[in-house]
Amino acid sequence: MKSRIEHTEEEWRKLLSPQAFAVLREKGTEPPFSGKYNDFKKRGTFVCAGCGNELFSSDTKYNSGSGWPSFWQPVSPDAIDTQEDLSHNASRTEVLCARCGGHLGHVFDDGPPPTGKRYCMNSLALDFKQD
Ligand code: FE
């Protein structure tokens, strides 16, 4: 089991940029096509910008055309948590970092084979470790 990482809101504000805080801790969404990892093709591993938890391999990244970095599978099922999100008059599935609880984005059922999933992530919630 991974150890959970917990910080107070005040601690998170010191640890994160205001932009990353707004996404990770306040469930914000960066504007489409604004993020540094949307059009990004280096090989490596995307990790949580809040805690460094490994989340997605570049091997599962694809161009969804949505304007947000998109993946069809996390590195492992226990890297993330999901929960129902009924905000904005929609029913969506929110994706959170399993280690720090940070908001990462949402997952949809219109992704490519083999999973059919589209993990629609915010660049601001991610860091990148090159292979
Ligand atoms: Fe995290």
Side-chain angles (χ1 to χ4, degrees), residues 48 50-51 53 97 99-100:
C48 175
C51 74
N53 187 27
C97 172
R99 185 189 278 167
C100 73

Side-chain angles (χ1 to χ4, degrees), residues 88-128:
H88 301 289
N89 294 314
S91 175
R92 296 180 294 170
T93 302
E94 180 185 0
V95 179
L96 305 119
C97 172
R99 185 189 278 167
C100 73
H103 172 82
L104 304 172
H106 292 85
V107 58
F108 302 94
D109 290 323
D110 57 7
T115 62
K117 298 291 185 185
R118 170 169 60 99
Y119 289 85
C120 184
M121 300 290 102
N122 287 280
S123 297
L124 285 168
L126 304 174
D127 277 330
F128 182 72

Side-chain angles (χ1 to χ4, degrees), residues 70-86:
S70 301
F71 306 85
W72 47 263
Q73 181 172 271
V75 291
S76 76
D78 60 1
I80 58 156
D81 285 330
T82 58
Q83 65 181 23
E84 188 174 25
D85 173 9
L86 296 174

Side-chain angles (χ1 to χ4, degrees), residues 41-58:
K41 296 184 172 66
K42 290 182 180 170
R43 294 184 67 86
T45 303
F46 294 85
V47 303
C48 175
C51 74
N53 187 27
E54 294 193 353
L55 298 171
F56 297 97
S57 165
S58 60

Side-chain angles (χ1 to χ4, degrees), residues 7-26 48-52 100 102 124-125 127:
H7 293 295
T8 64
E9 178 178 335
E10 188 180 359
E11 288 168 342
W12 280 121
R13 283 192 189 278
K14 289 177 185 162
L15 290 166
L16 301 171
S17 70
Q19 294 81 4
F21 182 89
V23 172
L24 284 163
R25 309 313 308 179
E26 298 183 311
C48 175
C51 74
C100 73
L124 285 168
D127 277 330

